[in-house]
């Protein structure tokens, strides 16, 4: 007798169908597992045996063979415990229900409870695409799977509950998604109203948020670089439902979802400077997992103390920042994860932090300063659209009792600019000015004659690269959008050029 149970596996961001075939034959009692199972899958036999016995089912004393098809793809993790158990129960007659239109996912405890697993969302999406009507997932993953329309998602607490459901004794209610239509950033407590002074930096951050631009903050210790960066999510536009789904898929694969099941606010990832290249970009020796740059997809990746990151880790970011995706190649295949992020970095100008500070407290030698700054390569530095100096806040500004502009007011202007961009790039893959491609560049970055002369003068005097030229124009396009101007004017170019001057001041480029 051969039975077939539907399940799924993960391959990067995508899922693929796995057919769990079970055969029972007379002979010496054995439990064989084939189909390229890894160690965690092979251990399923012990979990399934224990779960069945502890839930009152007799484990057959026969030769059982479980095949995980397709057999040429390595199966990983404990997600096949539940479908393997259902296959055994189906072979022994304990389950007689018709389940050909259903799929099963879940890890088992020795007592028969169904434990949560990673990657449920992409697997539920694939199940719907393949026409399955029902899918059974761990109870803790129910909210995550329920966001997918067109398929019934049943959250299972334990195998006794599942058997009762399949026997129509006590049906399980399908999980229902709770989508918050009023998707606000109220979860973010940090607000720009709490920041004293730093008007120029706030303006630069507003422009960065409005166009999705990468920004580098340079200044002495205690000037508020980290504090300002942590408030960026409070002014970013709300996520669309499509962005929520895509971001949730990545967090689901990484096992970072909370009980709500859907990522509703833009991610803010701030890895420590000791993070490895694999931790930042993604990878691993076995299962290829998304790194910090992918976990920040559709949000902010904040790198504090930028020069303290290893050179190898930083160089990993160069291509993903440009392409909006990262491909990790291994001997058993290539995995591509999206990583459209707003890169925000903060750094001191020297090891002691006070180079060029008016206080004159810098104790570093020119060679130490040179070596410190050169930890940031030219190509990586070029990928920051905006460079802004964060000066120390003066005493009078700190003691000022006047209420500063809250994040909600800044966000209104950002949303207005993003709406203009959304209309401009409708029907294309471009989402904001920072992602303008070469084909769109000449059409959207229209400048008047005075602005063109100013840009030419800046290009020649500052020795800009072609990439720097593009980024100045993209930032100018965003400034024009904030100004509600269709044409990029000279004052827009002038402000954009000012945000490219610090590399000349500190790096002499």
């Amino acid at each position: 007798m051969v039975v077939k149970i539907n399940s799924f596996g993960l391959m990067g961001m995508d899922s693929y169908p796995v057919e769990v075939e079970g055969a029972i034959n007379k002979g010496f009692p054995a439990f064989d597992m084939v189909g390229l199972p890894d160690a965690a899958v092979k251990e399923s036999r012990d979990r399934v045996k224990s779960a069945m016995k502890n839930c009152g089912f007799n484990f057959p004393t026969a030769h059982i063979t479980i095949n995980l098809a397709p057999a040429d793809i390595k199966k990983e993790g404990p997600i096949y415990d539940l479908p393997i158990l259902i296959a055994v129960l189906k072979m022994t007659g304990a389950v007689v229900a018709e389940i050909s239109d259903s799929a099963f996912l879940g890890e088992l405890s020795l007592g028969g409870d169904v434990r949560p697993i990673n990657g449920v969302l992409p697997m539920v999406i694939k199940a719907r695409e393949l026409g399955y009507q029902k899918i059974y997932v761990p109870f803790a993953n129910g909210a995550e799977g329920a966001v997918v329309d067109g398929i019934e998602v049943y959250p299972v607490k334990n195998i006794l509950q599942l058997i009762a459901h399949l026997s129509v004794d006590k049906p399980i209610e399908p999980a229902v998604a709770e989508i918050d239509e009023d998707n606000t950033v109220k979860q973010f407590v940090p607000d720009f109203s709490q920041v004293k002074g730093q008007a120029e930096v706030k303006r630069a951050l507003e422009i960065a948020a409005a166009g999705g631009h990468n920004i580098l903050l340079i200044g002495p210790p205690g000037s508020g670089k980290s504090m300002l960066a942590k408030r960026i999510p409070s002014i970013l536009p709300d996520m669309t439902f499509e962005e929520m789904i895509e971001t949730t898929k990545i967090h689901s694969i990484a096992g970072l979802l909370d009980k709500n099941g859907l990522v509703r606010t833009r991610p803010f990832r701030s890895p420590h400077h000791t993070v490895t290249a694999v931790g930042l970009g993604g990878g691993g020796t076995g299962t290829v997992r998304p790194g910090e740059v992918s976990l920040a997809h559709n949000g902010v990746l904040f790198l504090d103390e930028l020069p303290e990151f290893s050179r190898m880790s930083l160089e990993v970011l160069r291509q993903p920042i440009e392409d909006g995706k990262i491909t990790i190649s291994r001997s058993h295949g290539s995995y591509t994860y999206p990583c459209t992020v707003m890169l925000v970095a903060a750094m001191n100008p020297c090891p002691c932090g006070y180079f060029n500070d008016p206080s004159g407290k810098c104790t570093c030698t020119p060679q130490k300063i040179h070596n410190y700054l050169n930890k940031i390569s030219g190509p990586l530095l070029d990928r920051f659209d905006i460079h802004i100096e964060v000066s120390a806040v003066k005493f009078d500004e700190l003691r000022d009792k006047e209420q500063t502009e809250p994040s909600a007011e800044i966000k209104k202007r950002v949303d207005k600019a993003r709406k203009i961009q959304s209309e401009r790039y409708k029907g294309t893959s471009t989402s904001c000015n920072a992602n303008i491609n070469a084909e769109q560049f000449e059409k959207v970055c229209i400048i008047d004659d005075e602005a063109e002369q100013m840009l030419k003068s800046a290009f020649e005097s500052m020795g800009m690269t072609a990439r720097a030229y593009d980024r100045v124009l993209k930032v100018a396009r965003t400034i024009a959008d904030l100004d509600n101007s269709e044409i990029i004017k000279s004052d827009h170019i002038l402000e954009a050029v000012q945000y490219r001057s610090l590399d000349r001041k500190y790096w002499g480029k």
Side-chain angles (χ1 to χ4, degrees), residues 6 18 24 27-28 38 76 78 93 111 114 118 137 173 189 200 233 244 259 277 312 393-394 402 415 435 494 500 507:
N6 303 310
V18 173
I24 187 168
F28 189 79
D38 72 351
E76 300 174 330
V114 182
N118 297 341
V137 303
E173 290 294 323
V189 176
E200 297 83 359
M244 291 183 201
K259 61 182 181 180
M312 183 180 294
V393 183
K394 297 178 181 178
E402 186 178 347
D415 286 343
N435 302 326
L494 181 61
R500 295 292 303 192
W507 284 268

Side-chain angles (χ1 to χ4, degrees), residues 128-333:
R128 181 193 62 182
E129 291 175 358
L130 295 177
Y132 291 108
Q133 301 299 310
K134 305 170 185 176
I135 187 166
Y136 297 86
V137 303
F139 184 83
N141 298 117
E144 173 187 349
V147 301
V148 183
D149 293 327
I151 186 172
E152 292 183 340
V153 178
Y154 292 95
V156 181
K157 293 182 179 179
N158 55 66
I159 61 175
L160 290 176
Q161 181 195 34
L162 177 58
I163 300 305
H165 170 83
L166 295 176
S167 303
V168 200
D169 292 337
K170 191 176 181 182
I172 301 172
E173 290 294 323
V176 178
E178 297 181 3
I179 305 299
D180 182 11
E181 296 296 335
D182 182 24
N183 178 39
T184 67
V185 293
K186 55 190 175 187
Q187 293 183 25
F188 292 101
V189 176
D191 193 280
F192 274 103
S193 62
Q194 302 156 352
V195 180
K196 299 292 186 179
Q198 306 293 13
E200 297 83 359
V201 185
K202 290 180 185 178
R203 168 64 176 175
L205 292 174
E206 178 182 334
I207 294 168
H213 301 288
N214 302 327
I215 183 169
L216 174 64
L217 308 173
I218 306 176
S223 57
K225 302 184 295 296
S226 300
M227 180 181 68
L228 286 158
K230 290 174 182 177
R231 282 154 176 76
I232 292 174
S234 67
I235 62 172
L236 290 175
D238 298 336
M239 295 178 79
T240 64
F241 184 70
E242 291 74 19
E243 288 176 329
M244 291 183 201
I245 290 292
E246 193 170 32
T247 304
T248 302
K249 283 174 68 176
I250 299 172
H251 285 244
S252 173
I253 293 165
L256 298 177
L257 284 184
D258 58 23
K259 61 182 181 180
N260 295 324
L262 191 66
V263 177
R264 293 180 170 86
T265 52
R266 296 191 181 276
F268 181 87
R269 303 291 298 184
S270 180
H272 191 261
H273 60 258
T274 56
V275 67
T276 63
V278 170
L280 201 56
T285 54
T287 303
V288 175
R289 299 297 185 192
E292 291 290 339
V293 69
S294 295
L295 293 172
H297 179 57
N298 290 322
V300 176
L301 177 63
F302 175 48
L303 303 182
D304 201 4
E305 303 295 346
L306 186 65
E308 302 301 331
F309 286 78
S310 73
R311 187 69 171 254
M312 183 180 294
S313 297
L314 292 179
E315 295 308 302
V316 162
L317 295 177
R318 281 166 54 177
Q319 188 175 347
I321 291 170
E322 202 77 9
D323 298 342
K325 61 183 179 181
I326 183 168
T327 300
I328 304 160
S329 297
R330 293 292 182 268
S331 58
H332 53 278

Side-chain angles (χ1 to χ4, degrees), residues 434-448:
N435 302 326
I436 299 172
N437 59 42
E439 183 181 355
Q440 299 166 329
F441 199 82
E442 294 297 331
K443 297 178 183 177
V444 303
C445 295
I446 304 171
I447 62 177
D448 60 25

